[in-house]
Amino acid sequence: MDFLLRTAAQRVVLPSRHEVMHVYRRILKQARSFFDETTREFIQTYAKETFRRNLYDRKVNRARAKLRNAKTTANRLERANKHRFKDVLNVLETGYGQKGPRKAMMLEAMVGIKKEEEVFGNLRDMAQYRPAFYALAMYQLGRNKVEVDKQNIKSLHPLNVAKTQDSRWETLRYKVAPPVDAATMEVLEERARTGIIRNPAFQDCSVRDAALIRRWEEKWVHLPHRRQICRYYRTLLESISMMVVTTRMVPNKSKYLKSRARKNTDIAPGVEKPEFVPEKTYSFVKSIYAGKKEPQEASIIDVAGIADQSVAVQF
């Protein structure tokens, strides 16, 4: 009924092909000029997949909303290539999975949480079946926001407690940021320490290919100053943690259970269970360069009035 309520100038129509392709080329062009290769590759790949998936979307309002989001992304990338601090940090967090579409993929890869996860009904079940995610939530949010305090619940009925825990579980998935592996943390720490960006693709290619890649980056990539690079990655490391998995052998509690409890086990009858079984523990480490400022030199003038002599002190 939109054509009856509005005039021809006020009707909302589908965006034209020229308008969509203009925004699409802007995103690819600005992503190509970003200095971080991980973020650059992710934005290019995700933009191609998103535009192909929404190619035949005929819902007018939805298509217009997606085009507005694409324009916002293109403007943010353009400001990031001009080295505006907030926009650069936003794009880096998107590329390393701290926010945006890559966050769900990294949570599934690192701690086993899918985008549409079933509700457990009890946080003890989450600690048993998703131990990595439970340890990550306890590390980032604390026990008060993860565990349900039964003293603040109106009713201690099991159904009410389970309902409260389910609602708490639903909010946990959107508040937790995924960790990174040791290789990614090492690359980020090196850039935060030196301010030099070395492309990891140089290690697996020949000298000729490395020279071509370096020539392409010099032509298209807008590389900021080394001091700015240190500042970007040190601020990024404040919100990133590395997951360390440790395996230890613990006594097998199910070995000496009664026959009734052993009916549903995977061990065939007559096979002796092991005395010890492996158990994984998850710990998370922050970088030493997170938020750390560079050493600065200050000139201290002698109080006796000698202005031409100064002492350089490092803080």
Coordinates of all heavy atoms in Angstrom, one line a residue, residues 56-123:
Y56 N 19.8 -10.7 -4.3 CA 18.5 -10.8 -4.8 C 17.5 -10.5 -3.7 O 16.3 -11.0 -3.7 CB 18.2 -12.2 -5.4 CG 19.1 -12.6 -6.5 CD1 20.2 -13.4 -6.3 CD2 18.9 -12.1 -7.8 CE1 21.1 -13.7 -7.4 CE2 19.7 -12.4 -8.8 CZ 20.8 -13.2 -8.6 OH 21.7 -13.5 -9.6
D57 N 17.8 -9.7 -2.8 CA 16.9 -9.3 -1.7 C 16.0 -8.2 -2.2 O 16.4 -7.1 -2.6 CB 17.7 -8.7 -0.5 CG 16.8 -8.6 0.7 OD1 15.6 -8.8 0.6 OD2 17.4 -8.2 1.8
R58 N 14.7 -8.5 -2.2 CA 13.7 -7.6 -2.8 C 12.8 -6.9 -1.7 O 11.9 -6.2 -2.1 CB 12.7 -8.4 -3.7 CG 13.4 -8.9 -5.0 CD 14.0 -7.8 -5.8 NE 14.8 -8.3 -6.9 CZ 15.6 -7.5 -7.6 NH1 15.6 -6.2 -7.4 NH2 16.3 -8.0 -8.6
K59 N 13.2 -7.0 -0.5 CA 12.5 -6.2 0.6 C 13.1 -4.8 0.6 O 14.3 -4.7 0.9 CB 12.7 -6.9 1.9 CG 12.1 -8.3 2.0 CD 10.5 -8.2 2.0 CE 9.9 -9.6 2.2 NZ 8.5 -9.5 2.2
V60 N 12.2 -3.8 0.4 CA 12.7 -2.5 0.1 C 13.4 -1.9 1.4 O 14.5 -1.4 1.4 CB 11.6 -1.6 -0.3 CG1 12.1 -0.1 -0.5 CG2 11.0 -2.1 -1.6
N61 N 12.7 -2.0 2.5 CA 13.2 -1.4 3.8 C 14.5 -2.1 4.2 O 15.4 -1.5 4.7 CB 12.2 -1.4 4.9 CG 11.0 -0.5 4.5 OD1 11.1 0.5 3.9 ND2 9.8 -0.9 5.0
R62 N 14.5 -3.4 4.1 CA 15.7 -4.2 4.5 C 16.9 -3.9 3.6 O 18.0 -3.8 4.1 CB 15.3 -5.7 4.5 CG 16.4 -6.6 5.1 CD 15.9 -8.0 5.3 NE 15.4 -8.6 4.1 CZ 14.6 -9.7 4.1 NH1 14.3 -10.3 5.2 NH2 14.2 -10.2 2.9
A63 N 16.6 -3.8 2.3 CA 17.7 -3.5 1.4 C 18.3 -2.1 1.7 O 19.5 -1.9 1.6 CB 17.2 -3.6 -0.1
R64 N 17.4 -1.1 1.9 CA 17.9 0.2 2.3 C 18.7 0.2 3.6 O 19.7 0.9 3.7 CB 16.7 1.1 2.4 CG 16.1 1.6 1.0 CD 17.0 2.6 0.4 NE 16.6 2.9 -1.0 CZ 17.3 3.6 -1.8 NH1 18.4 4.2 -1.4 NH2 16.8 3.9 -3.0
A65 N 18.2 -0.5 4.6 CA 19.0 -0.6 5.8 C 20.3 -1.2 5.6 O 21.3 -0.7 6.2 CB 18.2 -1.4 6.9
K66 N 20.4 -2.3 4.8 CA 21.7 -2.9 4.6 C 22.6 -1.9 3.8 O 23.9 -1.9 4.0 CB 21.5 -4.2 3.8 CG 20.9 -5.3 4.6 CD 20.6 -6.5 3.8 CE 20.0 -7.6 4.7 NZ 19.7 -8.8 3.9
L67 N 22.1 -1.2 2.9 CA 22.9 -0.2 2.1 C 23.4 0.9 3.1 O 24.6 1.3 2.9 CB 22.1 0.4 1.0 CG 22.8 1.3 0.0 CD1 24.0 0.6 -0.6 CD2 21.9 1.9 -1.0
R68 N 22.6 1.3 4.0 CA 23.1 2.3 5.0 C 24.2 1.8 5.8 O 25.2 2.5 6.1 CB 21.9 2.8 5.9 CG 20.9 3.7 5.2 CD 20.0 4.4 6.2 NE 19.2 3.5 7.0 CZ 18.0 3.1 6.6 NH1 17.5 3.5 5.5 NH2 17.4 2.2 7.4
N69 N 24.1 0.5 6.3 CA 25.2 -0.1 7.0 C 26.4 -0.2 6.2 O 27.5 0.0 6.7 CB 24.7 -1.4 7.5 CG 23.6 -1.4 8.5 OD1 23.4 -0.4 9.2 ND2 22.8 -2.5 8.6
A70 N 26.3 -0.5 4.9 CA 27.5 -0.6 4.1 C 28.1 0.8 3.9 O 29.4 0.9 3.9 CB 27.1 -1.2 2.7
K71 N 27.3 1.8 3.8 CA 27.9 3.2 3.7 C 28.6 3.6 4.9 O 29.7 4.2 4.9 CB 26.8 4.2 3.3 CG 26.2 4.1 1.9 CD 25.1 5.1 1.7 CE 24.6 5.1 0.3 NZ 23.5 6.1 0.0
T72 N 28.0 3.2 6.1 CA 28.7 3.5 7.4 C 30.0 2.8 7.5 O 31.0 3.4 7.9 CB 27.8 3.1 8.5 OG1 26.5 3.7 8.4 CG2 28.4 3.4 9.9
T73 N 30.1 1.6 7.0 CA 31.3 0.8 7.0 C 32.4 1.5 6.1 O 33.6 1.6 6.4 CB 31.1 -0.6 6.6 OG1 30.1 -1.2 7.5 CG2 32.4 -1.4 6.6
A74 N 31.9 1.9 4.9 CA 32.9 2.5 4.0 C 33.4 3.9 4.5 O 34.6 4.2 4.4 CB 32.1 2.8 2.6
N75 N 32.5 4.6 5.2 CA 33.0 5.9 5.8 C 34.0 5.6 7.0 O 34.9 6.4 7.1 CB 31.8 6.7 6.3 CG 30.9 7.2 5.2 OD1 31.3 7.3 4.0 ND2 29.6 7.3 5.4
R76 N 33.7 4.6 7.7 CA 34.6 4.3 8.8 C 36.0 3.8 8.3 O 37.0 4.2 8.9 CB 34.0 3.2 9.7 CG 34.8 2.9 11.0 CD 34.2 1.8 11.8 NE 33.0 2.2 12.4 CZ 31.8 1.7 12.2 NH1 31.7 0.8 11.3 NH2 30.7 2.2 12.8
L77 N 36.0 3.0 7.3 CA 37.2 2.6 6.7 C 38.0 3.8 6.1 O 39.2 3.8 6.2 CB 37.0 1.6 5.6 CG 36.6 0.2 6.1 CD1 36.2 -0.7 4.9 CD2 37.8 -0.5 6.8
E78 N 37.3 4.7 5.5 CA 37.9 5.9 5.0 C 38.6 6.7 6.0 O 39.7 7.2 5.9 CB 36.9 6.7 4.2 CG 37.5 7.9 3.4 CD 36.5 8.6 2.5 OE1 35.3 8.1 2.5 OE2 36.8 9.6 1.9
R79 N 37.9 6.9 7.2 CA 38.5 7.7 8.3 C 39.6 6.9 8.9 O 40.6 7.5 9.4 CB 37.4 7.9 9.3 CG 36.3 8.9 8.9 CD 35.5 9.4 10.0 NE 34.8 8.3 10.7 CZ 33.6 7.9 10.4 NH1 32.9 8.4 9.4 NH2 33.0 6.9 11.1
A80 N 39.5 5.5 8.9 CA 40.6 4.7 9.5 C 41.9 4.8 8.6 O 43.0 4.8 9.2 CB 40.2 3.3 9.6
N81 N 41.7 4.9 7.3 CA 42.9 5.1 6.5 C 43.5 6.5 6.6 O 44.7 6.7 6.1 CB 42.5 4.8 5.0 CG 42.3 3.4 4.7 OD1 42.9 2.5 5.3 ND2 41.3 3.0 3.9
K82 N 42.8 7.4 7.1 CA 43.4 8.7 7.5 C 43.9 8.7 8.9 O 44.3 9.8 9.4 CB 42.3 9.8 7.3 CG 41.8 10.0 5.9 CD 40.7 11.1 5.8 CE 40.2 11.3 4.4 NZ 39.1 12.3 4.3
H83 N 44.0 7.6 9.5 CA 44.6 7.3 10.8 C 43.9 8.0 11.9 O 44.6 8.6 12.8 CB 46.1 7.7 10.7 CG 46.8 7.0 9.6 ND1 48.0 7.6 9.0 CD2 46.6 5.9 9.0 CE1 48.4 6.7 8.1 NE2 47.6 5.7 8.0
R84 N 42.6 8.1 11.9 CA 41.8 8.5 13.0 C 41.8 7.4 14.1 O 41.4 6.3 13.8 CB 40.4 9.0 12.6 CG 39.6 9.5 13.7 CD 38.3 10.0 13.2 NE 37.4 10.4 14.3 CZ 36.1 10.8 14.2 NH1 35.6 10.9 13.0 NH2 35.4 11.1 15.2
F85 N 42.2 7.8 15.3 CA 42.5 6.7 16.3 C 41.2 5.8 16.6 O 41.3 4.6 16.6 CB 42.9 7.4 17.6 CG 43.3 6.4 18.7 CD1 44.4 5.7 18.7 CD2 42.4 6.2 19.8 CE1 44.7 4.8 19.7 CE2 42.7 5.3 20.8 CZ 43.8 4.6 20.7
K86 N 40.1 6.4 16.9 CA 38.9 5.7 17.2 C 38.5 4.7 16.1 O 38.1 3.6 16.3 CB 37.7 6.6 17.6 CG 38.0 7.3 18.9 CD 36.7 8.1 19.3 CE 36.9 8.9 20.6 NZ 35.7 9.7 21.0
D87 N 38.5 5.2 14.9 CA 38.1 4.4 13.8 C 39.1 3.3 13.5 O 38.7 2.2 13.1 CB 37.9 5.2 12.5 CG 36.8 6.2 12.7 OD1 35.6 5.8 12.8 OD2 37.0 7.4 12.8
V88 N 40.4 3.6 13.6 CA 41.4 2.5 13.4 C 41.2 1.4 14.5 O 41.3 0.2 14.1 CB 42.8 3.1 13.5 CG1 43.9 2.0 13.5 CG2 43.1 4.0 12.3
L89 N 41.0 1.8 15.7 CA 40.8 0.8 16.8 C 39.6 0.0 16.5 O 39.5 -1.2 16.7 CB 40.8 1.5 18.1 CG 40.8 0.6 19.3 CD1 42.1 -0.2 19.4 CD2 40.7 1.4 20.6
N90 N 38.5 0.7 16.0 CA 37.3 -0.1 15.8 C 37.5 -1.1 14.6 O 37.0 -2.2 14.7 CB 36.2 0.9 15.4 CG 34.8 0.3 15.4 OD1 34.6 -0.7 14.8 ND2 33.8 1.1 15.9
V91 N 38.2 -0.7 13.6 CA 38.4 -1.7 12.5 C 39.3 -2.8 12.9 O 39.1 -4.0 12.6 CB 39.0 -0.9 11.3 CG1 39.4 -1.9 10.2 CG2 38.0 0.1 10.8
L92 N 40.3 -2.5 13.7 CA 41.2 -3.6 14.2 C 40.5 -4.6 15.1 O 40.7 -5.8 15.0 CB 42.4 -3.0 15.0 CG 43.5 -2.3 14.2 CD1 44.5 -1.6 15.1 CD2 44.2 -3.3 13.3
E93 N 39.6 -4.1 16.0 CA 38.8 -5.0 16.8 C 37.9 -5.8 16.0 O 37.6 -7.0 16.3 CB 38.0 -4.1 17.8 CG 38.9 -3.5 18.9 CD 38.0 -2.7 19.9 OE1 36.9 -2.4 19.6 OE2 38.6 -2.3 20.9
T94 N 37.3 -5.3 14.9 CA 36.5 -6.1 14.0 C 37.3 -7.1 13.3 O 36.9 -8.3 13.2 CB 35.8 -5.2 13.0 OG1 35.1 -4.2 13.6 CG2 34.9 -6.0 12.1
G95 N 38.5 -6.8 12.9 CA 39.4 -7.8 12.2 C 39.9 -8.9 13.1 O 40.1 -10.0 12.6
Y96 N 40.1 -8.6 14.4 CA 40.6 -9.6 15.3 C 39.5 -10.3 16.1 O 39.8 -10.9 17.1 CB 41.7 -9.1 16.2 CG 43.0 -8.9 15.4 CD1 43.3 -7.7 14.9 CD2 43.9 -9.9 15.3 CE1 44.5 -7.5 14.2 CE2 45.1 -9.8 14.6 CZ 45.4 -8.5 14.0 OH 46.5 -8.4 13.3
G97 N 38.2 -10.1 15.8 CA 37.1 -10.8 16.4 C 36.7 -10.3 17.7 O 35.9 -11.0 18.4
Q98 N 37.0 -9.1 18.1 CA 36.6 -8.6 19.4 C 35.2 -8.0 19.3 O 34.5 -7.8 20.3 CB 37.5 -7.5 19.9 CG 38.9 -8.0 20.1 CD 39.0 -9.3 21.0 OE1 38.6 -9.2 22.2 NE2 39.5 -10.4 20.5
K99 N 34.7 -7.7 18.1 CA 33.4 -7.3 17.8 C 33.0 -7.6 16.4 O 33.9 -7.9 15.6 CB 33.2 -5.8 18.1 CG 34.1 -4.9 17.3 CD 33.8 -3.4 17.4 CE 34.0 -2.9 18.8 NZ 33.9 -1.5 18.9
G100 N 31.7 -7.5 16.1 CA 31.3 -7.7 14.7 C 31.1 -9.1 14.3 O 31.0 -10.0 15.1
P101 N 31.0 -9.4 13.0 CA 30.7 -10.7 12.5 C 31.7 -11.8 12.8 O 31.4 -13.0 12.9 CB 30.5 -10.6 11.0 CG 31.3 -9.4 10.7 CD 31.3 -8.5 11.9
R102 N 33.0 -11.4 13.0 CA 34.0 -12.5 13.2 C 34.0 -12.9 14.7 O 34.6 -14.0 15.0 CB 35.4 -11.9 12.9 CG 36.4 -12.9 12.6 CD 37.7 -12.4 12.1 NE 38.6 -13.4 11.7 CZ 39.8 -13.2 11.2 NH1 40.3 -12.0 11.0 NH2 40.6 -14.2 10.8
K103 N 33.3 -12.2 15.5 CA 33.3 -12.6 17.0 C 32.7 -14.0 17.1 O 33.2 -14.8 17.9 CB 32.6 -11.5 17.8 CG 32.5 -11.8 19.2 CD 31.8 -10.7 20.0 CE 31.7 -11.0 21.5 NZ 31.1 -9.9 22.2
A104 N 31.5 -14.2 16.5 CA 30.8 -15.5 16.6 C 31.7 -16.6 16.0 O 31.7 -17.7 16.6 CB 29.5 -15.4 15.9
M105 N 32.4 -16.4 14.9 CA 33.2 -17.4 14.4 C 34.4 -17.8 15.3 O 34.8 -19.0 15.4 CB 33.7 -17.0 13.0 CG 32.6 -16.8 11.9 SD 33.2 -16.4 10.3 CE 33.5 -14.7 10.4
M106 N 35.0 -16.8 15.9 CA 36.1 -17.0 16.8 C 35.7 -17.7 18.1 O 36.4 -18.5 18.6 CB 36.9 -15.7 17.1 CG 37.7 -15.2 15.9 SD 38.8 -13.9 16.3 CE 39.9 -14.6 17.5
L107 N 34.5 -17.4 18.6 CA 34.0 -18.0 19.8 C 33.8 -19.5 19.5 O 34.0 -20.4 20.3 CB 32.7 -17.4 20.3 CG 32.9 -16.1 21.1 CD1 31.5 -15.5 21.4 CD2 33.6 -16.3 22.4
E108 N 33.3 -19.8 18.3 CA 33.0 -21.2 18.0 C 34.4 -22.0 17.8 O 34.5 -23.1 18.2 CB 32.2 -21.3 16.7 CG 31.9 -22.7 16.3 CD 31.0 -22.8 15.0 OE1 30.7 -21.7 14.5 OE2 30.7 -23.9 14.6
A109 N 35.4 -21.3 17.2 CA 36.7 -22.0 17.0 C 37.5 -22.1 18.2 O 38.1 -23.2 18.4 CB 37.4 -21.2 15.9
M110 N 37.4 -21.1 19.1 CA 38.3 -21.2 20.3 C 37.7 -21.9 21.5 O 38.3 -22.6 22.2 CB 38.7 -19.7 20.7 CG 39.5 -19.0 19.6 SD 41.1 -19.8 19.2 CE 42.0 -19.5 20.8
V111 N 36.4 -21.6 21.8 CA 35.8 -22.1 23.0 C 34.6 -23.0 22.7 O 33.9 -23.4 23.7 CB 35.4 -21.0 24.0 CG1 36.7 -20.3 24.5 CG2 34.4 -20.0 23.3
G112 N 34.3 -23.2 21.5 CA 33.2 -24.2 21.1 C 31.8 -23.7 21.3 O 30.9 -24.5 21.4
I113 N 31.6 -22.4 21.3 CA 30.2 -21.8 21.4 C 29.7 -21.4 20.0 O 30.3 -20.6 19.4 CB 30.2 -20.6 22.4 CG1 30.5 -21.1 23.8 CG2 28.9 -19.9 22.3 CD1 29.4 -22.0 24.3
K114 N 28.6 -22.0 19.6 CA 28.1 -21.7 18.3 C 27.2 -20.4 18.4 O 26.8 -20.0 19.5 CB 27.3 -22.8 17.8 CG 28.1 -24.1 17.5 CD 27.2 -25.2 17.0 CE 28.1 -26.5 16.8 NZ 27.3 -27.6 16.3
K115 N 26.8 -19.9 17.2 CA 26.0 -18.7 17.2 C 24.6 -19.0 17.7 O 24.0 -18.1 18.5 CB 25.9 -18.2 15.7 CG 25.2 -16.8 15.6 CD 25.3 -16.3 14.2 CE 24.7 -14.9 14.1 NZ 24.8 -14.4 12.7
E116 N 24.0 -20.1 17.5 CA 22.8 -20.5 18.0 C 23.0 -21.7 18.9 O 23.1 -22.9 18.4 CB 21.7 -20.8 16.9 CG 21.4 -19.6 16.1 CD 20.3 -19.9 15.1 OE1 19.9 -21.1 15.0 OE2 19.9 -19.0 14.3
E117 N 23.2 -21.5 20.2 CA 23.6 -22.5 21.1 C 22.3 -22.9 22.0 O 21.5 -22.0 22.3 CB 24.7 -22.1 22.0 CG 25.3 -23.1 22.9 CD 26.2 -24.1 22.2 OE1 26.7 -23.7 21.1 OE2 26.5 -25.1 22.7
E118 N 22.2 -24.2 22.3 CA 21.1 -24.6 23.2 C 21.3 -24.1 24.6 O 22.4 -23.9 25.0 CB 21.0 -26.1 23.1 CG 22.1 -26.8 23.8 CD 23.3 -27.1 22.9 OE1 23.3 -26.6 21.8 OE2 24.2 -27.8 23.3
V119 N 20.2 -23.9 25.3 CA 20.2 -23.4 26.7 C 20.4 -24.6 27.6 O 19.7 -25.6 27.4 CB 19.0 -22.6 27.0 CG1 19.0 -22.2 28.5 CG2 18.8 -21.4 26.1
F120 N 21.4 -24.6 28.5 CA 21.7 -25.8 29.3 C 20.7 -26.0 30.4 O 20.4 -27.1 30.8 CB 23.1 -25.6 29.8 CG 24.1 -25.6 28.8 CD1 24.8 -24.4 28.4 CD2 24.5 -26.8 28.1 CE1 25.7 -24.4 27.5 CE2 25.4 -26.7 27.1 CZ 26.1 -25.6 26.8
G121 N 20.1 -24.9 31.0 CA 19.2 -25.0 32.1 C 19.9 -25.0 33.4 O 19.3 -24.9 34.5
N122 N 21.3 -25.1 33.5 CA 22.0 -25.1 34.7 C 23.4 -24.7 34.4 O 24.0 -25.2 33.4 CB 22.0 -26.5 35.4 CG 22.4 -26.4 36.9 OD1 23.1 -25.5 37.2 ND2 21.9 -27.3 37.7
L123 N 24.0 -23.8 35.2 CA 25.3 -23.3 34.9 C 26.4 -24.4 35.2 O 27.5 -24.4 34.7 CB 25.6 -22.1 35.7 CG 24.9 -20.8 35.3 CD1 25.2 -19.7 36.2 CD2 25.3 -20.5 33.9

